[in-house]
Amino acid sequence: MNEQLEQLDKEYVLHTYARNYVNFKKGINATLFDDNNKDYIDFTSGIAVCSVGHGNKRVADKIYEQILNITHISNLYAIEPQAKLAKRLKELSGYNIRTFFSNSGAEANECAIKIARKYGETNFEKKRYKVITLTHSFHGRTITTVKATGQSSMHTPNFAPYPEGFSYYNYINDIYNAIDDETAAVMIELVQGEGGVQPFDKQEIQELAKFLKENKILLIIDEVQTGVYRTGEFLASNLYEIQPDIVTLAKGLGGGVPIGAIMTTHKDIFNPGDHGSTFGGNYLVTSAALEVLDILEEIKDSGALDETIIYFNKKLNEIYENNKELFTNNVGLGLMRGLRAKDADTLALIIKTAFEEGILVLKAGKNTLRLLPALTISKNEMDEGFKRLERALNKIKKS
């Protein structure tokens, strides 16, 4: 069956991914099963998407209930679950915001950049349009968000010319000297995901936020990966105790259905026609997202999420301490974690061997083993997952 799937995929799907041709057929929370009924502990959650696990019955029931009635009508009409979700995001974030809904993180970041450009056009005598980002950032794969991404490997000549107005710097402190009279916004991730699961210093971020506010420059926080309780609080921005002008969300918000959200304190920045989306925020995805937030708020309020974070990181630290010949550092926040491998070849071998042992893990940056489990992962799944990871690492050390 896997050979047949591989043949179909290679013949009919554009080759944009280095695929692993396992054929998953079923998922229960943080456990996946392939077509041979082999089970895998999933420490990836679809790259931080399946926040409430696979096959979540509450989300499935909500989607089924909604799809039996209305799936989609377009944004030409008011959408009740969309309005309720926007209100919920305001309450959970603690910010005085309005929200626009899109279909993905890249689209959310595109919208954030459009807000920054309009802000720069309408609030200053001389137009401001430049956006400063960081060297190891990742903000999406559209032409504009690729250019906003600070990794030079993303800026291949194949897709040039790129939009102008973006510049990149290695450190937060570099941003101050980079600002000029055409700078509209600074766009950062508080924990760089694709850039190696690297959190920034809290005081450094707070000082930057204060400086930008004083100088009327927008602070955009890309929380596509860090948002929706991934770092332990609803937003990493809450954890860092800052108030951004714009926050973007996606991934874990829908629990598996595609949704993005752009929350901004500039509540009247757009006029009708300035921006739009055919599918964004439709009945299906916003109903699912409301149920996801119900589940996650419950586990946060009960203390279960905090317990999971503590236990996961305890087990991860044991792995790190037992395998210092393979890893140089233990990084991350909440359930967005990484182990820095000693080199890229070692990392590739770890990911391959872990898969063979039935544990799914990810790569970040050049040499970081990234772990993004479902926020609902059970203690038994954590125990089994780390047992399999340890087994994989022992195999590598013996080889």
Side-chain angles (χ1 to χ4, degrees):
M1 179 63 188
N2 288 5
E3 289 175 7
Q4 186 181 0
L5 173 60
E6 183 175 352
Q7 185 181 347
L8 279 171
D9 183 80
K10 286 181 174 176
E11 187 168 351
Y12 298 109
V13 180
L14 277 173
H15 301 164
T16 56
Y17 302 102
R19 300 273 201 199
N20 186 323
Y21 285 100
V22 63
N23 186 13
F24 293 122
K25 304 295 281 187
K26 183 181 179 181
I28 302 172
N29 201 25
T31 308
L32 287 162
F33 300 85
D34 67 14
D35 53 359
N36 294 314
N37 211 36
K38 178 183 175 180
D39 65 276
Y40 301 75
I41 303 300
D42 183 7
F43 278 4
T44 74
S45 64
I47 317 182
V49 168
C50 302
S51 51
V52 294
H54 301 288
N56 188 290
K57 189 171 188 310
R58 283 177 58 177
V59 178
D61 287 346
K62 184 58 69 173
I63 289 172
Y64 180 68
E65 177 190 335
Q66 186 59 61
I67 215 164
L68 278 177
N69 291 291
I70 302 173
T71 304
H72 177 85
I73 57 163
S74 92
N75 282 295
L76 296 175
Y77 310 94
I79 298 168
E80 185 180 1
Q82 182 187 108
K84 286 181 175 177
L85 182 58
K87 180 175 182 282
R88 191 75 169 281
L89 292 178
K90 179 182 186 295
E91 291 166 351
L92 289 171
S93 71
Y95 302 144
N96 186 18
I97 54 165
R98 284 188 181 141
T99 298
F100 176 87
F101 292 101
S102 63
N103 308 288
S104 68
E107 285 181 57
N109 286 334
E110 284 267 355
C111 179
I113 292 163
K114 284 180 75 173
I115 291 172
R117 290 274 174 94
K118 186 168 184 187
Y119 172 83
E121 172 72 35
T122 56
N123 284 274
F124 304 94
E125 269 187 49
K126 179 183 177 183
K127 177 180 174 62
R128 294 189 173 208
Y129 67 99
K130 293 179 181 175
V131 177
I132 295 171
T133 69
L134 292 168
T135 305
H136 298 292
S137 60
F138 181 85
H139 297 296
R141 290 188 181 272
T142 63
I143 286 290
T144 301
T145 55
V146 159
K147 188 59 177 171
T149 292
Q151 300 176 50
S152 58
S153 61
M154 301 284 289
H155 307 149
T156 71
N158 298 335
F159 310 117
Y162 294 95
E164 296 179 0
F166 297 94
S167 57
Y168 327 100
Y169 298 89
N170 287 325
Y171 305 105
I172 296 294
N173 285 339
D174 295 336
I175 291 172
Y176 297 95
N177 292 330
I179 291 168
D180 61 24
D181 62 359
E182 292 180 314
T183 303
V186 171
M187 184 176 192
I188 59 173
E189 304 152 279
L190 296 174
V191 185
Q192 291 187 324
E194 297 288 338
V197 199
Q198 187 58 55
F200 287 103
D201 178 76
K202 183 175 178 178
Q203 185 177 344
E204 204 174 33
I205 294 294
Q206 289 179 337
E207 287 170 0
L208 176 66
K210 183 173 182 287
F211 176 85
L212 296 178
K213 190 76 71 182
E214 288 169 352
N215 287 274
K216 298 183 179 178
I217 296 165
L218 300 187
L219 175 59
I220 304 169
I221 301 294
D222 177 344
E223 298 229 29
V224 168
Q225 194 163 140
T226 58
V228 197
Y229 295 105
R230 175 57 55 183
T231 62
E233 297 301 325
F234 179 64
L235 300 174
S237 301
N238 300 141
L239 196 62
Y240 277 70
E241 298 180 286
I242 56 170
Q243 295 202 353
D245 300 282
I246 304 168
V247 173
T248 58
L249 298 175
K251 288 189 179 287
L253 180 59
V257 299
I259 186 171
I262 305 86
M263 310 186 299
T264 181
T265 57
H266 293 265
K267 299 198 291 184
D268 298 309
I269 191 77
F270 280 157
N271 297 319
D274 277 349
H275 197 53
S277 172
T278 298
F279 292 101
N282 72 14
Y283 278 87
L284 174 64
V285 298
T286 51
S287 293
L290 282 167
E291 191 63 31
V292 167
L293 292 181
D294 278 348
I295 295 165
L296 294 179
E297 204 175 352
E298 286 167 18
I299 66 169
K300 174 64 178 173
D301 290 348
S302 70
L305 177 60
D306 293 337
E307 288 174 17
T308 297
I309 290 170
I310 291 166
Y311 190 76
F312 189 90
N313 291 326
K314 173 178 168 286
K315 300 291 286 187
L316 182 64
N317 198 55
E318 288 171 9
I319 291 277
Y320 170 64
E321 293 292 338
N322 293 339
N323 296 277
K324 286 197 173 176
E325 61 268 62
L326 299 176
F327 301 112
T328 62
N329 205 0
N330 179 1
V331 293
L333 285 175
L335 289 175
M336 185 176 179
R337 305 299 308 186
L339 293 174
R340 202 86 77 222
K342 64 179 182 179
D343 55 52
D345 290 340
T346 300
L347 176 61
L349 185 58
I350 291 169
I351 293 170
K352 178 179 180 294
T353 311
F355 178 80
E356 291 165 359
E357 291 295 326
I359 172 74
L360 305 186
V361 289
L362 295 161
K363 175 186 176 182
K366 290 181 180 177
N367 63 336
T368 302
L369 183 72
R370 180 167 41 157
L371 303 102
L372 299 163
L375 305 183
T376 54
I377 189 170
S378 69
K379 187 172 180 289
N380 286 343
E381 287 170 320
M382 287 187 274
D383 286 341
E384 183 61 30
F386 281 113
K387 189 190 301 178
R388 295 181 187 190
L389 181 56
E390 187 75 69
R391 203 156 60 219
L393 297 175
N394 286 336
K395 267 191 178 180
I396 291 167
K397 289 191 288 190
K398 287 174 184 174
S399 63

